[in-house]
Amino acid sequence: MTLIISWIGVDDKKDGKEISSIYIASDSRYTWGNAGKFDYGIKVFGSTKHPEIFGFCGDVLFPSTILGQIIPQIDNGILLNDDDNLNEKNNKVFDFIKSSLSTYPKDFLGNSFTILHASRFKKEFKLFKTSYDGNKGIKNEEITLPKESTRVFSGGSGKSEFDTNCQKWEDEKHNNYRTSRAVYHCLTETLKEIKDPRTGGLPQIVGLYRIENMRLFGIVEDAKKYIYGKQSTEDINSRSIEWRNENFERVNPDTLKILEGAQRQPS
């Protein structure tokens, strides 16, 4: 069933605190009961043309199929308009999910799923959650975002282990208290020690900043590069995306060392 999380980064501005970034991250494991696992499954998505990112947990086939339909329609200017506000954009996304679900064969749908949708309009960010329960049906709601850097959502079968591990980073005495890197530290450590057999593999992350659209992050772990959980052994154009190490520091993909000018972070 997986682990999915979301967190925000907040900056101090002269007019007060403002959200500067939002991230959705997940593990990379797909499972089929006890029959098998696949640790290269895509669980986070984003638009390269509009400031929209997504992630899911729970049932795999329906959310991955629907997001695979939504993203191209956003990228091609079909589903959303440039002047749609945050609620209008999410309402259109939810209507698409709901109408698709109404025709989906229920015998092939898992008991539950959650789809996160983070969006930006001008300088404002919002996070929405669409959840389905076999007994209660489907619903959509906004997740309130505070004015401090912190995790704002965790879900899936790995949630309890992740939440327990995060307690040490949420101690005011910790070096990384109230930082976005603290949430990522917790994610990487949880995945290394996870007991839940349905959660595993390397982390995968998409994010939104104040400018531009979805950012896909490559992961550097043990001097190796990974994208969506899969090691990048092919001859790829590594410089086309950002790369982060386990401290969430920006990394040069050629040398696998901290990027020149990047701030080192306490562990």
Side-chain angles (χ1 to χ4, degrees):
M1 186 174 177
T2 200
L3 170 63
I4 187 171
I5 64 172
S6 180
W7 72 94
I8 56 173
V10 173
D11 288 344
D12 287 315
K13 298 295 183 181
K14 61 181 180 180
D15 296 328
K17 292 181 178 294
E18 293 183 2
I19 297 174
S20 60
S21 57
I22 186 166
Y23 306 88
I24 297 176
S26 176
D27 70 321
S28 299
R29 178 166 294 176
Y30 285 176
T31 58
W32 292 265
N34 296 321
K37 65 182 181 181
F38 179 67
D39 282 345
Y40 309 147
I42 298 178
K43 298 182 180 180
V44 296
F45 301 76
S47 169
T48 59
K49 303 291 183 62
H50 294 267
E52 318 295 324
I53 58 174
F54 301 85
F56 75 86
C57 67
D59 177 72
V60 168
L61 185 56
F62 178 80
S64 61
T65 300
I66 294 309
L67 292 176
Q69 293 178 337
I70 287 174
I71 296 300
Q73 294 194 44
I74 292 176
D75 282 347
N76 286 281
I78 299 170
L79 187 60
L80 305 181
N81 298 317
D82 289 338
D83 58 353
D84 287 340
N85 64 35
L86 292 166
N87 290 332
E88 288 171 337
K89 290 194 287 185
N90 180 251
N91 285 339
K92 290 180 178 181
V93 168
F94 177 62
D95 286 343
F96 189 99
I97 295 171
K98 187 168 58 173
S99 63
S100 299
L101 183 65
S102 67
T103 61
Y104 194 84
K106 297 300 186 290
D107 289 344
F108 299 97
L109 183 66
N111 188 56
S112 65
F113 66 77
T114 297
I115 296 175
L116 294 183
H117 172 207
S119 181
R120 188 195 73 235
F121 182 67
K122 297 181 179 179
K123 293 184 179 181
E124 184 182 8
F125 293 81
K126 283 191 176 183
L127 178 65
F128 302 91
K129 178 181 72 170
T130 296
S131 53
Y132 169 79
D133 180 280
N135 298 318
K136 300 178 181 178
I138 190 170
K139 67 176 182 178
N140 192 56
E141 58 190 308
E142 181 181 344
I143 296 174
T144 301
L145 302 180
K147 290 298 179 70
E148 58 187 10
S149 299
T150 186
R151 63 179 169 127
V152 292
F153 180 83
S154 57
S157 56
K159 169 183 168 60
S160 61
E161 291 182 64
F162 174 80
D163 289 351
T164 298
N165 290 340
C166 274
Q167 291 177 8
K168 68 177 180 180
W169 281 281
E170 293 173 347
D171 186 332
E172 294 182 12
K173 298 179 181 179
H174 197 283
N175 287 336
N176 286 335
Y177 176 70
R178 293 298 186 215
T179 62
S180 60
R181 62 184 174 272
V183 186
Y184 185 70
H185 284 174
C186 183
L187 174 62
T188 57
E189 288 204 7
T190 299
L191 292 182
K192 288 177 182 177
E193 302 172 357
I194 195 81
K195 295 181 177 63
D196 174 37
R198 295 170 292 177
T199 304
L202 273 292
Q204 50 186 257
I205 312 172
V206 290
L208 285 178
Y209 291 172
R210 288 196 183 100
I211 60 172
E212 300 178 341
N213 303 313
M214 179 269 286
R215 296 196 188 191
L216 171 65
F217 295 90
I219 303 302
V220 174
E221 179 88 10
D222 296 329
K224 297 176 183 178
K225 294 182 291 186
Y226 297 85
I227 300 176
Y228 289 120
K230 186 179 186 299
Q231 184 179 347
S232 296
T233 55
E234 302 89 348
D235 182 18
I236 63 170
N237 182 16
S238 297
R239 288 186 172 271
S240 64
I241 63 171
E242 280 190 38
W243 294 82
R244 300 294 180 106
N245 63 14
E246 61 183 7
N247 291 327
F248 212 51
E249 296 162 323
R250 295 169 64 207
V251 174
N252 183 319
D254 298 326
T255 65
L256 302 185
K257 295 180 179 180
I258 296 176
L259 202 63
E260 185 176 352
Q263 182 180 358
R264 286 187 177 273
Q265 308 293 357
S267 58

